[in-house]
Amino acid sequence: MALNILFAAGPGEWEVWRPHLDTALRKAGLDVTLRPLPDLAPDEVDYILYAPDSSLQDFAPFTRLKAVLNLWAGVEDVITNPTLRVPLARMVDPGLERGMVEWVCTHVLRHHLGIDAHIRNPDHRWSPHVPPLATDRPVTMLGLGELGSAAARALSDFGFPVTGWSRSAKAIPGISCTHGQLGLVQALELAQIVVLLLPATARTENILNAETLAMLPKGAVILNPGRGTLIDDDALLAALDRGHIAHATLDTFRSEPLPADHPYWQHPQVTVTPHIASTTRPETASEVLAGNIARSEAGRPLLDLVDPAQGY
Ligand code: NDP
């Protein structure tokens, strides 16, 4: 019997994804009917390909649903939905990963090389200050999952000494891995540049707060492509104002789009990017989704399942 797969995402997404999904599902040897919301009756749907900006917010009518496959890496808006009673797989996509590696390396190198001083040089001063080599610039990665570990490896390949922090113990060649509360203190005390690639959960909320910001060396730089909830905004603004933190490059915020009157827009030591650090690429992600559904149909567990107890 053909599988019924419902595509439920924001406006305009269906047209972008459809050709890639059609090709990938065919290549995976699946006999499927793929339709956008609301073209399938809820009690006919086997799988939902889902983005949280979809108008679909109630999973209860989907009585024969086997799983929801998220189109985004961040799952905080789905795993907390009380009507979700089937397994949820998050997005792990090679295209998404490459995009995040590029964003992180770009912004680490911007601060490491002090490029801003040359771009903004209103007095046309000849100021040949030579930056240190990457080997003398410790970087800390908070979060060593799919994205954090890929970015950590890329930074290590540049020569940066990278310390990574995660919930469980890890061993990644070339990265000094830590975990636990003591590990967090060690990772922060060392860092000249800190990158946040943690998920938004109850345990990670305000992980950078007045106390943990004070653990960073004076002049440290913060990059947050993770989630806005990871940072206590008032504490960060205070640390920037007193010069303890030299710069923050922020891609994610508690409220998005960032409100026009938010102090981050005006702050000379803050760079705002509009949640573009990376995005799921339908070309590569469609193959991941089709492969995962094929696995499930072959009786094997879905890959990249979210643990509801951990929230990611
Ligand atoms: P993963 O789930 O693969 O990795 C999450 C990492 O965070 C893991 O290393 C995990 O530890 C660690 N972690 C989670 N909770 C804690 C905790 N309480 N203490 C210490 N470490 C913790 O996620 P991804 O790498 O795929 O993505 C990370 C986040 O990036 C996403 O959740 C999303 O919010 C954000 N993102 C942002 C984008 C953007 O454009 N700005 C695009 C895509 C994603 P462990 O390994 O031990 O489980």
Side-chain angles (χ1 to χ4, degrees), residues 73-74 76 90 96 100 143-148 165-168 170 197-201 203-204 225-227 251-252 275-278 312:
E76 66 275 13
R90 67 199 185 80
L96 173 74
M100 185 59 79
L144 286 175
E146 294 295 329
L147 302 178
W165 182 71
S166 52
R167 190 170 56 83
S168 55
K170 290 205 186 307
L197 271 169
L198 293 161
T201 68
R203 289 193 188 87
T204 61
R227 280 294 181 262
D251 184 61
T252 54
H275 204 140
I276 45 75
S278 192
Y312 71 97

PDB file of all heavy atoms in Angstrom, residues 73-74 76 90 96 100 143-148 165-168 170 197-201 203-204 225-227 251-252 275-278 312, ligand 1:
ATOM      1  N   ALA A  73      16.705  21.996  12.286  1.00  0.00           N
ATOM      2  CA  ALA A  73      17.510  21.351  13.334  1.00  0.00           C
ATOM      3  C   ALA A  73      16.944  21.659  14.724  1.00  0.00           C
ATOM      4  O   ALA A  73      16.956  20.811  15.610  1.00  0.00           O
ATOM      5  CB  ALA A  73      18.959  21.823  13.248  1.00  0.00           C
ATOM      6  N   GLY A  74      16.458  22.880  14.929  1.00  0.00           N
ATOM      7  CA  GLY A  74      15.908  23.268  16.230  1.00  0.00           C
ATOM      8  C   GLY A  74      14.514  22.676  16.396  1.00  0.00           C
ATOM      9  O   GLY A  74      13.684  22.758  15.493  1.00  0.00           O
ATOM     10  N   GLU A  76      12.619  22.981  19.529  1.00  0.00           N
ATOM     11  CA  GLU A  76      11.969  23.413  20.768  1.00  0.00           C
ATOM     12  C   GLU A  76      10.487  23.716  20.598  1.00  0.00           C
ATOM     13  O   GLU A  76       9.701  23.532  21.527  1.00  0.00           O
ATOM     14  CB  GLU A  76      12.723  24.613  21.369  1.00  0.00           C
ATOM     15  CG  GLU A  76      12.684  25.906  20.567  1.00  0.00           C
ATOM     16  CD  GLU A  76      13.745  26.003  19.469  1.00  0.00           C
ATOM     17  OE1 GLU A  76      14.371  24.980  19.137  1.00  0.00           O
ATOM     18  OE2 GLU A  76      13.930  27.115  18.934  1.00  0.00           O
ATOM     19  N   ARG A  90      14.766  15.064  14.216  1.00  0.00           N
ATOM     20  CA  ARG A  90      15.184  16.424  13.891  1.00  0.00           C
ATOM     21  C   ARG A  90      15.997  16.409  12.599  1.00  0.00           C
ATOM     22  O   ARG A  90      16.355  15.334  12.112  1.00  0.00           O
ATOM     23  CB  ARG A  90      15.992  17.028  15.039  1.00  0.00           C
ATOM     24  CG  ARG A  90      17.282  16.347  15.234  1.00  0.00           C
ATOM     25  CD  ARG A  90      17.874  16.609  16.595  1.00  0.00           C
ATOM     26  NE  ARG A  90      19.187  15.988  16.616  1.00  0.00           N
ATOM     27  CZ  ARG A  90      20.243  16.529  16.081  1.00  0.00           C
ATOM     28  NH1 ARG A  90      20.170  17.723  15.525  1.00  0.00           N
ATOM     29  NH2 ARG A  90      21.389  15.898  16.087  1.00  0.00           N
ATOM     30  N   LEU A  96      22.978  21.937   5.569  1.00  0.00           N
ATOM     31  CA  LEU A  96      22.805  22.776   6.763  1.00  0.00           C
ATOM     32  C   LEU A  96      24.122  22.860   7.541  1.00  0.00           C
ATOM     33  O   LEU A  96      24.539  23.930   7.992  1.00  0.00           O
ATOM     34  CB  LEU A  96      21.712  22.157   7.637  1.00  0.00           C
ATOM     35  CG  LEU A  96      21.457  22.750   9.014  1.00  0.00           C
ATOM     36  CD1 LEU A  96      20.732  24.081   8.897  1.00  0.00           C
ATOM     37  CD2 LEU A  96      20.610  21.802   9.864  1.00  0.00           C
ATOM     38  N   MET A 100      26.538  26.185   8.323  1.00  0.00           N
ATOM     39  CA  MET A 100      26.889  26.628   9.675  1.00  0.00           C
ATOM     40  C   MET A 100      28.408  26.706   9.840  1.00  0.00           C
ATOM     41  O   MET A 100      28.928  27.646  10.458  1.00  0.00           O
ATOM     42  CB  MET A 100      26.286  25.668  10.713  1.00  0.00           C
ATOM     43  CG  MET A 100      26.504  26.115  12.144  1.00  0.00           C
ATOM     44  SD  MET A 100      25.799  27.756  12.494  1.00  0.00           S
ATOM     45  CE  MET A 100      24.060  27.357  12.704  1.00  0.00           C
ATOM     46  N   GLY A 143      28.403  23.155  22.906  1.00  0.00           N
ATOM     47  CA  GLY A 143      27.568  22.290  22.072  1.00  0.00           C
ATOM     48  C   GLY A 143      28.442  21.585  21.057  1.00  0.00           C
ATOM     49  O   GLY A 143      29.104  22.237  20.243  1.00  0.00           O
ATOM     50  N   LEU A 144      28.472  20.262  21.143  1.00  0.00           N
ATOM     51  CA  LEU A 144      29.301  19.463  20.225  1.00  0.00           C
ATOM     52  C   LEU A 144      28.438  18.445  19.495  1.00  0.00           C
ATOM     53  O   LEU A 144      28.798  17.284  19.364  1.00  0.00           O
ATOM     54  CB  LEU A 144      30.404  18.737  21.005  1.00  0.00           C
ATOM     55  CG  LEU A 144      31.570  19.591  21.490  1.00  0.00           C
ATOM     56  CD1 LEU A 144      32.515  18.750  22.363  1.00  0.00           C
ATOM     57  CD2 LEU A 144      32.340  20.200  20.317  1.00  0.00           C
ATOM     58  N   GLY A 145      27.262  18.910  19.058  1.00  0.00           N
ATOM     59  CA  GLY A 145      26.389  18.027  18.289  1.00  0.00           C
ATOM     60  C   GLY A 145      26.787  18.047  16.831  1.00  0.00           C
ATOM     61  O   GLY A 145      27.953  18.272  16.484  1.00  0.00           O
ATOM     62  N   GLU A 146      25.807  17.813  15.953  1.00  0.00           N
ATOM     63  CA  GLU A 146      26.099  17.762  14.513  1.00  0.00           C
ATOM     64  C   GLU A 146      26.780  19.049  14.057  1.00  0.00           C
ATOM     65  O   GLU A 146      27.780  19.024  13.343  1.00  0.00           O
ATOM     66  CB  GLU A 146      24.794  17.577  13.731  1.00  0.00           C
ATOM     67  CG  GLU A 146      24.105  16.256  13.967  1.00  0.00           C
ATOM     68  CD  GLU A 146      24.897  15.075  13.478  1.00  0.00           C
ATOM     69  OE1 GLU A 146      25.644  15.220  12.493  1.00  0.00           O
ATOM     70  OE2 GLU A 146      24.762  13.989  14.084  1.00  0.00           O
ATOM     71  N   LEU A 147      26.226  20.185  14.452  1.00  0.00           N
ATOM     72  CA  LEU A 147      26.736  21.468  13.949  1.00  0.00           C
ATOM     73  C   LEU A 147      27.960  21.915  14.731  1.00  0.00           C
ATOM     74  O   LEU A 147      28.957  22.352  14.148  1.00  0.00           O
ATOM     75  CB  LEU A 147      25.628  22.527  14.004  1.00  0.00           C
ATOM     76  CG  LEU A 147      24.360  22.172  13.217  1.00  0.00           C
ATOM     77  CD1 LEU A 147      23.296  23.258  13.371  1.00  0.00           C
ATOM     78  CD2 LEU A 147      24.683  21.967  11.741  1.00  0.00           C
ATOM     79  N   GLY A 148      27.890  21.829  16.066  1.00  0.00           N
ATOM     80  CA  GLY A 148      29.012  22.283  16.888  1.00  0.00           C
ATOM     81  C   GLY A 148      30.275  21.488  16.613  1.00  0.00           C
ATOM     82  O   GLY A 148      31.372  22.060  16.506  1.00  0.00           O
ATOM     83  N   TRP A 165      32.349  21.830  24.690  1.00  0.00           N
ATOM     84  CA  TRP A 165      31.589  21.445  25.886  1.00  0.00           C
ATOM     85  C   TRP A 165      30.258  20.854  25.476  1.00  0.00           C
ATOM     86  O   TRP A 165      29.578  21.403  24.593  1.00  0.00           O
ATOM     87  CB  TRP A 165      31.366  22.678  26.764  1.00  0.00           C
ATOM     88  CG  TRP A 165      30.655  22.420  28.040  1.00  0.00           C
ATOM     89  CD1 TRP A 165      31.152  21.764  29.136  1.00  0.00           C
ATOM     90  CD2 TRP A 165      29.316  22.820  28.380  1.00  0.00           C
ATOM     91  NE1 TRP A 165      30.195  21.745  30.127  1.00  0.00           N
ATOM     92  CE2 TRP A 165      29.068  22.377  29.701  1.00  0.00           C
ATOM     93  CE3 TRP A 165      28.313  23.502  27.701  1.00  0.00           C
ATOM     94  CZ2 TRP A 165      27.858  22.604  30.356  1.00  0.00           C
ATOM     95  CZ3 TRP A 165      27.097  23.727  28.343  1.00  0.00           C
ATOM     96  CH2 TRP A 165      26.886  23.279  29.659  1.00  0.00           C
ATOM     97  N   SER A 166      29.901  19.743  26.078  1.00  0.00           N
ATOM     98  CA  SER A 166      28.623  19.096  25.755  1.00  0.00           C
ATOM     99  C   SER A 166      28.033  18.496  27.029  1.00  0.00           C
ATOM    100  O   SER A 166      28.642  18.554  28.096  1.00  0.00           O
ATOM    101  CB  SER A 166      28.838  18.008  24.701  1.00  0.00           C
ATOM    102  OG  SER A 166      29.855  17.136  25.109  1.00  0.00           O
ATOM    103  N   ARG A 167      26.846  17.886  26.917  1.00  0.00           N
ATOM    104  CA  ARG A 167      26.207  17.312  28.106  1.00  0.00           C
ATOM    105  C   ARG A 167      26.898  16.004  28.484  1.00  0.00           C
ATOM    106  O   ARG A 167      27.223  15.771  29.639  1.00  0.00           O
ATOM    107  CB  ARG A 167      24.716  17.067  27.822  1.00  0.00           C
ATOM    108  CG  ARG A 167      23.907  16.705  29.042  1.00  0.00           C
ATOM    109  CD  ARG A 167      22.433  16.714  28.715  1.00  0.00           C
ATOM    110  NE  ARG A 167      22.125  15.834  27.613  1.00  0.00           N
ATOM    111  CZ  ARG A 167      21.932  14.527  27.718  1.00  0.00           C
ATOM    112  NH1 ARG A 167      22.010  13.930  28.907  1.00  0.00           N
ATOM    113  NH2 ARG A 167      21.662  13.794  26.660  1.00  0.00           N
ATOM    114  N   SER A 168      27.139  15.167  27.478  1.00  0.00           N
ATOM    115  CA  SER A 168      27.803  13.889  27.755  1.00  0.00           C
ATOM    116  C   SER A 168      29.287  14.003  27.377  1.00  0.00           C
ATOM    117  O   SER A 168      29.666  14.887  26.616  1.00  0.00           O
ATOM    118  CB  SER A 168      27.136  12.788  26.934  1.00  0.00           C
ATOM    119  OG  SER A 168      27.146  13.140  25.567  1.00  0.00           O
ATOM    120  N   LYS A 170      32.722  13.326  25.514  1.00  0.00           N
ATOM    121  CA  LYS A 170      32.986  13.047  24.092  1.00  0.00           C
ATOM    122  C   LYS A 170      34.482  12.958  23.850  1.00  0.00           C
ATOM    123  O   LYS A 170      35.269  13.521  24.614  1.00  0.00           O
ATOM    124  CB  LYS A 170      32.454  14.189  23.222  1.00  0.00           C
ATOM    125  CG  LYS A 170      30.970  14.272  23.177  1.00  0.00           C
ATOM    126  CD  LYS A 170      30.517  14.954  21.899  1.00  0.00           C
ATOM    127  CE  LYS A 170      29.024  15.160  21.925  1.00  0.00           C
ATOM    128  NZ  LYS A 170      28.258  13.951  22.201  1.00  0.00           N
ATOM    129  N   LEU A 197      26.431  26.729  20.163  1.00  0.00           N
ATOM    130  CA  LEU A 197      25.634  25.870  19.282  1.00  0.00           C
ATOM    131  C   LEU A 197      24.920  24.804  20.106  1.00  0.00           C
ATOM    132  O   LEU A 197      25.029  23.604  19.858  1.00  0.00           O
ATOM    133  CB  LEU A 197      26.496  25.275  18.169  1.00  0.00           C
ATOM    134  CG  LEU A 197      26.544  26.179  16.926  1.00  0.00           C
ATOM    135  CD1 LEU A 197      27.593  25.726  15.924  1.00  0.00           C
ATOM    136  CD2 LEU A 197      25.178  26.291  16.241  1.00  0.00           C
ATOM    137  N   LEU A 198      24.206  25.308  21.111  1.00  0.00           N
ATOM    138  CA  LEU A 198      23.387  24.467  21.981  1.00  0.00           C
ATOM    139  C   LEU A 198      21.923  24.595  21.554  1.00  0.00           C
ATOM    140  O   LEU A 198      21.532  25.622  20.998  1.00  0.00           O
ATOM    141  CB  LEU A 198      23.505  24.958  23.429  1.00  0.00           C
ATOM    142  CG  LEU A 198      24.875  24.793  24.099  1.00  0.00           C
ATOM    143  CD1 LEU A 198      24.969  25.710  25.310  1.00  0.00           C
ATOM    144  CD2 LEU A 198      25.102  23.343  24.495  1.00  0.00           C
ATOM    145  N   PRO A 199      21.107  23.589  21.881  1.00  0.00           N
ATOM    146  CA  PRO A 199      19.666  23.720  21.606  1.00  0.00           C
ATOM    147  C   PRO A 199      18.979  24.541  22.696  1.00  0.00           C
ATOM    148  O   PRO A 199      19.518  24.685  23.800  1.00  0.00           O
ATOM    149  CB  PRO A 199      19.183  22.265  21.642  1.00  0.00           C
ATOM    150  CG  PRO A 199      20.131  21.588  22.585  1.00  0.00           C
ATOM    151  CD  PRO A 199      21.463  22.291  22.465  1.00  0.00           C
ATOM    152  N   ALA A 200      17.794  25.039  22.400  1.00  0.00           N
ATOM    153  CA  ALA A 200      17.006  25.759  23.407  1.00  0.00           C
ATOM    154  C   ALA A 200      16.245  24.748  24.255  1.00  0.00           C
ATOM    155  O   ALA A 200      15.304  24.106  23.777  1.00  0.00           O
ATOM    156  CB  ALA A 200      16.021  26.701  22.717  1.00  0.00           C
ATOM    157  N   THR A 201      16.684  24.566  25.489  1.00  0.00           N
ATOM    158  CA  THR A 201      15.978  23.667  26.417  1.00  0.00           C
ATOM    159  C   THR A 201      15.920  24.377  27.771  1.00  0.00           C
ATOM    160  O   THR A 201      16.561  25.423  27.963  1.00  0.00           O
ATOM    161  CB  THR A 201      16.733  22.330  26.607  1.00  0.00           C
ATOM    162  OG1 THR A 201      17.962  22.584  27.300  1.00  0.00           O
ATOM    163  CG2 THR A 201      17.038  21.635  25.295  1.00  0.00           C
ATOM    164  N   ARG A 203      17.379  23.443  30.367  1.00  0.00           N
ATOM    165  CA  ARG A 203      18.714  23.420  30.999  1.00  0.00           C
ATOM    166  C   ARG A 203      19.707  24.388  30.369  1.00  0.00           C
ATOM    167  O   ARG A 203      20.701  24.744  30.990  1.00  0.00           O
ATOM    168  CB  ARG A 203      19.294  22.005  30.943  1.00  0.00           C
ATOM    169  CG  ARG A 203      18.585  21.050  31.871  1.00  0.00           C
ATOM    170  CD  ARG A 203      19.395  19.759  32.007  1.00  0.00           C
ATOM    171  NE  ARG A 203      18.626  18.765  32.753  1.00  0.00           N
ATOM    172  CZ  ARG A 203      17.763  17.920  32.191  1.00  0.00           C
ATOM    173  NH1 ARG A 203      17.580  17.923  30.892  1.00  0.00           N
ATOM    174  NH2 ARG A 203      17.098  17.061  32.931  1.00  0.00           N
ATOM    175  N   THR A 204      19.484  24.759  29.127  1.00  0.00           N
ATOM    176  CA  THR A 204      20.450  25.659  28.481  1.00  0.00           C
ATOM    177  C   THR A 204      20.016  27.124  28.550  1.00  0.00           C
ATOM    178  O   THR A 204      20.764  27.998  28.123  1.00  0.00           O
ATOM    179  CB  THR A 204      20.665  25.280  26.993  1.00  0.00           C
ATOM    180  OG1 THR A 204      19.407  25.410  26.310  1.00  0.00           O
ATOM    181  CG2 THR A 204      21.204  23.882  26.830  1.00  0.00           C
ATOM    182  N   PRO A 225      24.997  31.574  17.102  1.00  0.00           N
ATOM    183  CA  PRO A 225      24.095  31.075  16.063  1.00  0.00           C
ATOM    184  C   PRO A 225      23.151  29.997  16.608  1.00  0.00           C
ATOM    185  O   PRO A 225      22.424  29.384  15.835  1.00  0.00           O
ATOM    186  CB  PRO A 225      25.069  30.471  15.042  1.00  0.00           C
ATOM    187  CG  PRO A 225      26.202  29.966  15.881  1.00  0.00           C
ATOM    188  CD  PRO A 225      26.289  30.842  17.111  1.00  0.00           C
ATOM    189  N   GLY A 226      23.165  29.762  17.947  1.00  0.00           N
ATOM    190  CA  GLY A 226      22.367  28.671  18.532  1.00  0.00           C
ATOM    191  C   GLY A 226      20.913  29.061  18.699  1.00  0.00           C
ATOM    192  O   GLY A 226      20.087  28.830  17.814  1.00  0.00           O
ATOM    193  N   ARG A 227      20.588  29.679  19.825  1.00  0.00           N
ATOM    194  CA  ARG A 227      19.240  30.171  20.080  1.00  0.00           C
ATOM    195  C   ARG A 227      19.324  31.365  21.022  1.00  0.00           C
ATOM    196  O   ARG A 227      20.183  31.420  21.907  1.00  0.00           O
ATOM    197  CB  ARG A 227      18.356  29.093  20.736  1.00  0.00           C
ATOM    198  CG  ARG A 227      17.778  28.069  19.772  1.00  0.00           C
ATOM    199  CD  ARG A 227      16.789  28.677  18.782  1.00  0.00           C
ATOM    200  NE  ARG A 227      16.199  27.714  17.866  1.00  0.00           N
ATOM    201  CZ  ARG A 227      16.614  27.496  16.613  1.00  0.00           C
ATOM    202  NH1 ARG A 227      17.643  28.147  16.120  1.00  0.00           N
ATOM    203  NH2 ARG A 227      15.977  26.631  15.836  1.00  0.00           N
ATOM    204  N   ASP A 251      22.974  35.840  15.958  1.00  0.00           N
ATOM    205  CA  ASP A 251      22.139  35.450  14.817  1.00  0.00           C
ATOM    206  C   ASP A 251      20.738  35.041  15.269  1.00  0.00           C
ATOM    207  O   ASP A 251      19.832  34.954  14.453  1.00  0.00           O
ATOM    208  CB  ASP A 251      22.809  34.275  14.082  1.00  0.00           C
ATOM    209  CG  ASP A 251      22.064  33.876  12.817  1.00  0.00           C
ATOM    210  OD1 ASP A 251      21.953  34.731  11.913  1.00  0.00           O
ATOM    211  OD2 ASP A 251      21.584  32.726  12.741  1.00  0.00           O
ATOM    212  N   THR A 252      20.610  34.743  16.581  1.00  0.00           N
ATOM    213  CA  THR A 252      19.332  34.240  17.099  1.00  0.00           C
ATOM    214  C   THR A 252      18.937  35.050  18.328  1.00  0.00           C
ATOM    215  O   THR A 252      19.806  35.491  19.093  1.00  0.00           O
ATOM    216  CB  THR A 252      19.458  32.755  17.468  1.00  0.00           C
ATOM    217  OG1 THR A 252      20.565  32.609  18.369  1.00  0.00           O
ATOM    218  CG2 THR A 252      19.694  31.879  16.256  1.00  0.00           C
ATOM    219  N   HIS A 275      19.050  35.590  11.734  1.00  0.00           N
ATOM    220  CA  HIS A 275      18.821  34.127  11.753  1.00  0.00           C
ATOM    221  C   HIS A 275      19.099  33.496  10.383  1.00  0.00           C
ATOM    222  O   HIS A 275      18.269  32.786   9.814  1.00  0.00           O
ATOM    223  CB  HIS A 275      17.400  33.777  12.219  1.00  0.00           C
ATOM    224  CG  HIS A 275      17.304  32.394  12.778  1.00  0.00           C
ATOM    225  ND1 HIS A 275      16.556  32.073  13.886  1.00  0.00           N
ATOM    226  CD2 HIS A 275      17.892  31.221  12.389  1.00  0.00           C
ATOM    227  CE1 HIS A 275      16.676  30.778  14.145  1.00  0.00           C
ATOM    228  NE2 HIS A 275      17.490  30.242  13.230  1.00  0.00           N
ATOM    229  N   ILE A 276      20.304  33.810   9.894  1.00  0.00           N
ATOM    230  CA  ILE A 276      20.689  33.261   8.584  1.00  0.00           C
ATOM    231  C   ILE A 276      21.980  32.430   8.696  1.00  0.00           C
ATOM    232  O   ILE A 276      22.594  32.131   7.671  1.00  0.00           O
ATOM    233  CB  ILE A 276      20.906  34.377   7.526  1.00  0.00           C
ATOM    234  CG1 ILE A 276      21.729  35.550   8.068  1.00  0.00           C
ATOM    235  CG2 ILE A 276      19.596  34.860   6.978  1.00  0.00           C
ATOM    236  CD1 ILE A 276      23.172  35.369   8.239  1.00  0.00           C
ATOM    237  N   ALA A 277      22.392  32.093   9.940  1.00  0.00           N
ATOM    238  CA  ALA A 277      23.671  31.391  10.071  1.00  0.00           C
ATOM    239  C   ALA A 277      23.690  30.179   9.140  1.00  0.00           C
ATOM    240  O   ALA A 277      24.650  29.942   8.424  1.00  0.00           O
ATOM    241  CB  ALA A 277      23.906  30.977  11.511  1.00  0.00           C
ATOM    242  N   SER A 278      22.581  29.438   9.163  1.00  0.00           N
ATOM    243  CA  SER A 278      22.479  28.356   8.185  1.00  0.00           C
ATOM    244  C   SER A 278      21.012  27.991   8.024  1.00  0.00           C
ATOM    245  O   SER A 278      20.173  28.389   8.821  1.00  0.00           O
ATOM    246  CB  SER A 278      23.286  27.135   8.593  1.00  0.00           C
ATOM    247  OG  SER A 278      23.357  26.248   7.493  1.00  0.00           O
ATOM    248  N   TYR A 312      15.837  17.786  23.174  1.00  0.00           N
ATOM    249  CA  TYR A 312      16.579  17.989  21.920  1.00  0.00           C
ATOM    250  C   TYR A 312      16.985  16.644  21.328  1.00  0.00           C
ATOM    251  O   TYR A 312      16.854  15.628  21.985  1.00  0.00           O
ATOM    252  CB  TYR A 312      17.828  18.856  22.132  1.00  0.00           C
ATOM    253  CG  TYR A 312      18.970  18.201  22.885  1.00  0.00           C
ATOM    254  CD1 TYR A 312      20.043  17.613  22.223  1.00  0.00           C
ATOM    255  CD2 TYR A 312      18.950  18.151  24.282  1.00  0.00           C
ATOM    256  CE1 TYR A 312      21.078  17.003  22.908  1.00  0.00           C
ATOM    257  CE2 TYR A 312      19.978  17.530  24.978  1.00  0.00           C
ATOM    258  CZ  TYR A 312      21.035  16.961  24.293  1.00  0.00           C
ATOM    259  OH  TYR A 312      22.055  16.344  24.984  1.00  0.00           O
TER     260      TYR A 312
HETATM  261  P1  NDP B   1      22.543  18.547  18.324  1.00  0.00           P
HETATM  262  O1  NDP B   1      21.320  18.068  19.019  1.00  0.00           O
HETATM  263  O2  NDP B   1      23.228  17.641  17.362  1.00  0.00           O
HETATM  264  O3  NDP B   1      23.649  18.983  19.397  1.00  0.00           O
HETATM  265  C1  NDP B   1      23.332  19.664  20.564  1.00  0.00           C
HETATM  266  C2  NDP B   1      24.584  19.733  21.418  1.00  0.00           C
HETATM  267  O4  NDP B   1      24.283  20.483  22.596  1.00  0.00           O
HETATM  268  C3  NDP B   1      25.078  18.365  21.871  1.00  0.00           C
HETATM  269  O5  NDP B   1      26.467  18.315  21.879  1.00  0.00           O
HETATM  270  C4  NDP B   1      24.536  18.285  23.296  1.00  0.00           C
HETATM  271  O6  NDP B   1      25.293  17.459  24.175  1.00  0.00           O
HETATM  272  C5  NDP B   1      24.672  19.724  23.728  1.00  0.00           C
HETATM  273  N1  NDP B   1      23.798  20.012  24.869  1.00  0.00           N
HETATM  274  C6  NDP B   1      22.453  19.961  24.924  1.00  0.00           C
HETATM  275  N2  NDP B   1      22.020  20.260  26.171  1.00  0.00           N
HETATM  276  C7  NDP B   1      23.134  20.514  26.910  1.00  0.00           C
HETATM  277  C8  NDP B   1      23.355  20.854  28.259  1.00  0.00           C
HETATM  278  N3  NDP B   1      22.340  21.015  29.120  1.00  0.00           N
HETATM  279  N4  NDP B   1      24.626  21.023  28.669  1.00  0.00           N
HETATM  280  C9  NDP B   1      25.669  20.852  27.828  1.00  0.00           C
HETATM  281  N5  NDP B   1      25.527  20.519  26.523  1.00  0.00           N
HETATM  282  C10 NDP B   1      24.267  20.346  26.077  1.00  0.00           C
HETATM  283  O7  NDP B   1      22.138  19.917  17.627  1.00  0.00           O
HETATM  284  P2  NDP B   1      22.779  20.572  16.310  1.00  0.00           P
HETATM  285  O8  NDP B   1      24.246  20.619  16.481  1.00  0.00           O
HETATM  286  O9  NDP B   1      22.225  19.951  15.096  1.00  0.00           O
HETATM  287  O10 NDP B   1      22.151  22.045  16.414  1.00  0.00           O
HETATM  288  C11 NDP B   1      22.419  22.882  17.533  1.00  0.00           C
HETATM  289  C12 NDP B   1      21.453  24.050  17.535  1.00  0.00           C
HETATM  290  O11 NDP B   1      21.805  24.970  16.506  1.00  0.00           O
HETATM  291  C13 NDP B   1      20.001  23.715  17.217  1.00  0.00           C
HETATM  292  O12 NDP B   1      19.330  23.178  18.344  1.00  0.00           O
HETATM  293  C14 NDP B   1      19.449  25.052  16.809  1.00  0.00           C
HETATM  294  O13 NDP B   1      18.967  25.718  17.966  1.00  0.00           O
HETATM  295  C15 NDP B   1      20.674  25.799  16.263  1.00  0.00           C
HETATM  296  N6  NDP B   1      20.587  26.089  14.831  1.00  0.00           N
HETATM  297  C16 NDP B   1      20.655  27.394  14.410  1.00  0.00           C
HETATM  298  C17 NDP B   1      20.602  27.700  13.071  1.00  0.00           C
HETATM  299  C18 NDP B   1      20.725  29.124  12.616  1.00  0.00           C
HETATM  300  O14 NDP B   1      20.587  29.410  11.428  1.00  0.00           O
HETATM  301  N7  NDP B   1      21.016  30.064  13.496  1.00  0.00           N
HETATM  302  C19 NDP B   1      20.448  26.665  12.041  1.00  0.00           C
HETATM  303  C20 NDP B   1      20.387  25.333  12.585  1.00  0.00           C
HETATM  304  C21 NDP B   1      20.453  25.061  13.926  1.00  0.00           C
HETATM  305  P3  NDP B   1      25.400  15.866  23.914  1.00  0.00           P
HETATM  306  O15 NDP B   1      26.269  15.743  22.677  1.00  0.00           O
HETATM  307  O16 NDP B   1      26.061  15.355  25.121  1.00  0.00           O
HETATM  308  O17 NDP B   1      24.002  15.378  23.684  1.00  0.00           O
END
